[in-house]
Amino acid sequence: MNVSKAIDTIYSEREQFIIVGLTGRTGSGCTTVSNILSAKTFKDLHLRQPKSTNFINNDERKYQIIYNYAEKHWKPFIRISMTDIIFSFVIQHNYKSFFNILKDMLGKKTVKEVQNDINNKYPDFKKAFKNLNEAIKPCLTEKNSLILTDKEYLNKEHNILKQLSKLQIKFRKIMQNHTYVSKENADINANAFTFCLQEFGNRIRHHGDITVNENFTGEHMFALARRANDFIKAIRHINKSKNEATFICLDAIRNPYEATYFQDRYSAFYLIAISTDNDERIRRLSENYNNHQIKALDNTEYPQKLDGDKKFTNQDIGACAQLADIYLYNPRENTNEKFFVSELAIKYITLIKHPGLITPSHIERCMQIAYNAKLNSGCLSRQVGAVITDSNYSVKAVGWNSVAEGQVPCNLRSVNNYLMNKDKDSFSTFEIEDESFSKHIANKYSKIIEKKKNALDGRLFEYCFKDEYGEITGQKNQVHTRSLHAEENAFLQIVKYGGESIKGGNLFTSASSCVLCSKKAFQLGIKNIYYIDPYPDIATTHILSFGSDKSKCPECHLFYGAIGKAYTSLFTQRIAIKDELKCLLTEND
């Protein structure tokens, strides 16, 4: 009997097909990670040699395990840039039409300068554009999909995917030195290439094309994701015919619904968020962007609030980060070899291939508890979880943002019920008795409920008290929220059940702490704050780093590791290690 073959079968799916999507703000390191994953050989990864003795800690032992397995099982990823996917919609238009579209976006003067640059510096751009336009037209279907399973399109050196990448890079070089200036506000300007690609992406998600069209129906939200999937299916089809594995890296996913598109379709898909310290990100961007352009870039990639159709069509990297399965940290390194982020990337790719090879870190374990805790939140805006530990990472309290114990959370309170009977167990005395509040809710929602009674399709019609009270008073104040913050709730749990010192301990939160919670953490002597997604606040510079005695200041750490479903998936052993070894070492009959 060949029981060792059964072990290979258990892990065969992950050894044959993996898709990872990369998300992160420009300058964080998506391109760096995609370059790491596309390394042709294991040696090209330039990883540190692991120790075999004199280990300082268990992390070094884990690294040896990961390194040895990765060395035997490394296969490069095929990189598909979402920028290239956007450009595939661009070259569906002929050369003249494309520049007419650019004129509407950038203005005649800027486009004339661009055309002069092409004629003087890039005379082959026009021919390459036309050739690719002619190559892609036969592949297009009536529904704007690409049929690319023919080997002629993907298997040769000059295939459509590679040509798209080459042409897009050339277009980037042409546009990089030009600027888009807003017609409404001359103080707002952006790098022309960045602006064009962002605007193209928004339009494609909006109505499926790079032209202007005000009609939003929602049916084209996944247009870019579907086009990327056309390439994935074609590559997989061709590789299967050659009995080869397919590893795909989707570089630069910047819309959360594109991420969910792949999460819903592929169990082998993992969304990886790459982050770095903001000062380091700005330093990297400053090499190619001025301050105005960086500000415009940040406002587009990380908007504070999106309304209407923009919520579905525009970039929102903060929302993407909240969906991530794995977080990587890409710090500044003074060598060409990116040792830190390379080791992290290879660790999680190895765990995707062979789950349970090592156990999670104590930081991952604690953040996973905070992640699970946030799902208890009844907040209508954002779910946040928090965990407090002592200095040895022993959990002392868990919290999430929600109302005080005994009160009804916002996600269980209905506008319909309020208007019908003002149930005293669901609504506060203020909500029930204050005349101005009652009139506001009645005037605002009665007609909406009548006109849109079928629109909710069985969903509960909740309302946010803070928003409604803010509309009445004209104030925006966190004091009027019904919910306790997650960190605040966790701190209070310790006091509520007997009290215990947490000085020198750690705070884990699925969003970085606001000013109010940062003050409490500082006062309680928290030593380390681990967070996933930066909250738009001044807490770090205003509270956490203040004071002459810096030893009292909590240290803030961007979280890196697996979270949510990925935590369970990557650290759960498919077969007990003891049994796996026994099977591998059993002699075949």
Side-chain angles (χ1 to χ4, degrees):
M1 60 180 177
N2 192 349
V3 292
S4 63
K5 187 67 177 175
I7 299 299
D8 293 338
T9 303
I10 288 174
Y11 301 106
S12 60
E13 282 298 314
R14 288 295 179 267
E15 290 285 358
Q16 288 299 313
F17 183 56
I18 298 171
I19 309 175
V20 297
L22 307 181
T23 189
R25 300 171 81 169
T26 302
S28 293
C30 283
T31 301
T32 296
V33 174
S34 70
N35 289 338
I36 291 167
L37 296 182
S38 57
K40 296 296 182 185
T41 69
F42 184 76
K43 287 183 179 179
D44 293 333
L45 295 170
H46 302 293
L47 299 175
R48 293 180 300 110
Q49 285 288 329
K51 290 182 178 180
S52 59
T53 186
N54 297 324
F55 297 103
I56 295 175
N57 52 39
N58 284 341
D59 287 340
E60 292 187 345
R61 293 180 176 88
K62 290 178 181 179
Y63 178 66
Q64 182 192 39
I65 294 169
I66 292 293
Y67 183 98
N68 290 341
Y69 191 90
E71 186 176 25
K72 294 289 186 182
H73 294 263
W74 178 253
K75 290 185 181 71
F77 280 69
I78 296 170
R79 178 178 178 268
I80 299 177
S81 169
M82 293 305 289
T83 303
D84 294 342
I85 299 302
I86 291 172
F87 214 71
S88 74
F89 284 84
V90 170
I91 57 100
Q92 290 178 205
H93 293 263
N94 63 47
Y95 191 76
K96 184 178 179 181
S97 297
F98 172 54
F99 273 90
N100 286 334
I101 294 167
L102 281 185
K103 283 179 186 177
D104 290 335
M105 291 173 60
L106 301 174
K108 292 182 180 180
K109 181 182 177 182
T110 302
V111 172
K112 189 173 182 179
E113 292 172 355
V114 169
Q115 289 175 320
N116 287 337
D117 278 358
I118 290 174
N119 294 334
N120 296 329
K121 300 177 184 177
Y122 305 95
D124 59 337
F125 178 79
K126 183 175 181 180
K127 182 179 179 181
F129 189 103
K130 288 184 174 180
N131 288 342
L132 196 49
N133 174 265
E134 291 172 2
I136 206 169
K137 278 185 177 179
C139 307
L140 281 169
T141 70
E142 290 183 3
K143 293 184 178 180
N144 218 15
S145 297
L146 287 178
I147 306 298
L148 297 163
T149 50
D150 193 318
K151 293 181 182 180
E152 294 294 317
Y153 294 118
L154 286 175
N155 218 24
K156 290 185 176 180
E157 179 64 27
H158 299 292
N159 63 45
I160 284 178
L161 188 57
K162 289 184 178 180
Q163 289 304 306
L164 269 174
S165 184
K166 288 180 181 178
L167 192 64
Q168 179 266 122
I169 290 170
K170 196 168 288 186
F171 183 66
R172 181 192 294 266
K173 289 179 180 178
I174 292 166
M175 301 295 289
Q176 198 74 39
N177 296 320
H178 297 278
T179 301
Y180 160 77
V181 180
S182 171
K183 294 176 184 178
E184 290 76 23
N185 187 346
D187 291 333
I188 299 175
N189 60 75
N191 176 276
F193 173 79
T194 303
F195 170 77
C196 286
L197 266 293
Q198 289 172 339
E199 181 63 18
F200 288 153
N202 294 346
R203 291 181 181 186
I204 292 164
R205 298 182 197 100
H206 187 277
H207 54 269
D209 197 4
I210 64 170
T211 55
V212 175
N213 188 329
E214 298 300 323
N215 184 31
F216 176 72
T217 63
E219 62 182 296
H220 298 287
M221 282 170 50
F222 299 132
L224 288 171
R226 290 192 186 107
R227 178 64 59 84
N229 201 36
D230 289 339
F231 282 98
I232 291 170
K233 288 189 292 185
I235 293 167
R236 193 179 188 193
H237 173 82
I238 292 168
N239 285 351
K240 270 188 172 182
S241 69
K242 298 185 294 184
N243 200 27
E244 293 180 359
T246 300
F247 294 168
I248 303 288
C249 173
L250 290 175
D251 186 10
I253 292 176
R254 291 193 162 94
N255 178 279
Y257 301 104
E258 286 163 4
T260 58
Y261 175 91
F262 291 104
Q263 286 174 330
D264 289 343
R265 275 156 186 77
Y266 294 107
S267 63
F269 175 79
Y270 292 84
L271 182 63
I272 301 177
I274 297 98
S275 61
T276 191
D277 298 301
N278 198 51
D279 290 345
E280 172 59 14
R281 187 180 65 86
I282 298 298
R283 185 195 68 80
R284 294 170 185 169
L285 289 175
S286 298
E287 295 176 4
N288 296 305
Y289 298 86
N290 61 40
N291 290 337
H292 288 291
Q293 292 172 340
I294 292 173
K295 185 176 180 180
L297 181 67
D298 285 353
N299 289 339
T300 301
E301 290 187 343
Y302 216 86
Q304 289 193 8
K305 190 173 183 180
L306 291 172
D307 293 315
D309 54 12
K310 291 182 180 179
K311 190 170 187 65
F312 303 99
T313 63
N314 286 29
Q315 295 186 14
D316 190 345
I317 293 176
C320 289
Q322 286 292 311
L323 294 169
D325 302 294
I326 298 165
Y327 295 86
L328 302 184
Y329 176 52
N330 179 31
R332 182 175 184 177
E333 297 191 63
N334 296 321
T335 60
N336 291 329
E337 295 83 8
K338 303 295 183 181
F339 292 117
F340 191 88
V341 73
S342 294
E343 290 172 12
L344 282 179
I346 301 313
K347 170 184 174 179
Y348 292 105
I349 295 302
T350 302
L351 285 169
I352 291 171
K353 293 180 181 180
H354 193 299
L357 201 60
I358 60 173
T359 55
S361 68
H362 48 259
I363 292 173
E364 285 175 304
R365 169 175 53 81
C366 295
M367 190 60 84
Q368 177 69 5
I369 299 171
Y371 180 91
N372 289 340
K374 79 174 186 176
L375 303 179
N376 293 293
S377 170
C379 181
L380 305 182
S381 300
R382 192 184 201 194
Q383 292 179 306
V384 181
V387 165
I388 298 169
T389 77
D390 62 17
S391 58
N392 294 316
Y393 299 94
S394 178
V395 174
K396 299 301 175 186
V398 178
W400 52 89
N401 59 320
S402 197
V403 294
E405 184 179 1
Q407 296 184 4
V408 180
C410 295
N411 68 332
L412 298 180
R413 305 192 322 155
S414 166
V415 171
N416 303 66
N417 292 348
Y418 178 85
L419 294 175
M420 280 192 296
N421 53 39
K422 293 186 181 178
D423 173 29
K424 66 179 182 179
D425 293 325
S426 299
F427 304 98
S428 69
T429 302
F430 175 84
E431 290 169 296
I432 293 171
E433 297 182 359
D434 187 84
E435 187 176 350
S436 61
F437 187 86
S438 296
K439 284 183 178 179
H440 169 79
I441 296 295
N443 292 338
K444 182 175 180 178
Y445 289 114
S446 294
K447 291 181 180 179
I448 294 176
I449 291 172
E450 182 60 31
K451 285 183 178 181
K452 299 284 187 178
K453 56 185 175 183
N454 296 321
L456 293 176
D457 198 24
R459 296 173 179 86
L460 193 68
F461 190 3
E462 307 99 330
Y463 72 88
C464 175
F465 174 80
K466 183 189 69 173
D467 289 351
E468 303 304 335
Y469 189 73
E471 281 188 32
I472 295 170
T473 62
Q475 300 175 3
K476 290 186 177 180
N477 196 322
Q478 287 288 338
V479 171
H480 298 134
T481 181
R482 296 183 67 234
S483 291
L484 296 157
H485 286 195
E487 303 94 318
E488 181 181 23
N489 205 350
F491 290 140
L492 290 172
Q493 297 307 312
I494 294 175
V495 177
K496 186 175 181 179
Y497 296 108
E500 183 176 359
S501 174
I502 54 172
K503 188 173 182 179
N506 308 296
L507 170 63
F508 293 82
T509 173
S510 58
S512 59
S513 297
C514 69
V515 166
L516 295 173
C517 293
S518 293
K519 286 188 285 188
K520 295 179 179 70
F522 199 122
Q523 179 70 359
L524 290 167
I526 291 293
K527 180 62 178 174
N528 296 292
I529 299 176
Y530 297 90
Y531 64 97
I532 291 179
D533 181 39
Y535 195 86
D537 208 302
I538 60 172
T540 302
T541 54
H542 183 53
I543 301 296
L544 297 175
S545 60
F546 188 75
S548 57
D549 186 356
K550 298 301 181 186
S551 66
K552 293 183 178 179
C553 297
E555 294 182 24
C556 295
H557 308 274
L558 274 167
F559 169 77
Y560 51 87
I563 204 76
K565 292 187 295 184
Y567 179 93
T568 305
S569 173
L570 300 187
F571 293 115
T572 299
Q573 296 169 8
R574 296 288 175 86
I575 180 173
I577 292 175
K578 182 173 67 175
D579 294 338
E580 183 173 331
L581 290 173
K582 185 177 180 180
C583 291
L584 290 171
L585 298 174
T586 298
E587 291 188 16
N588 298 327
D589 293 341

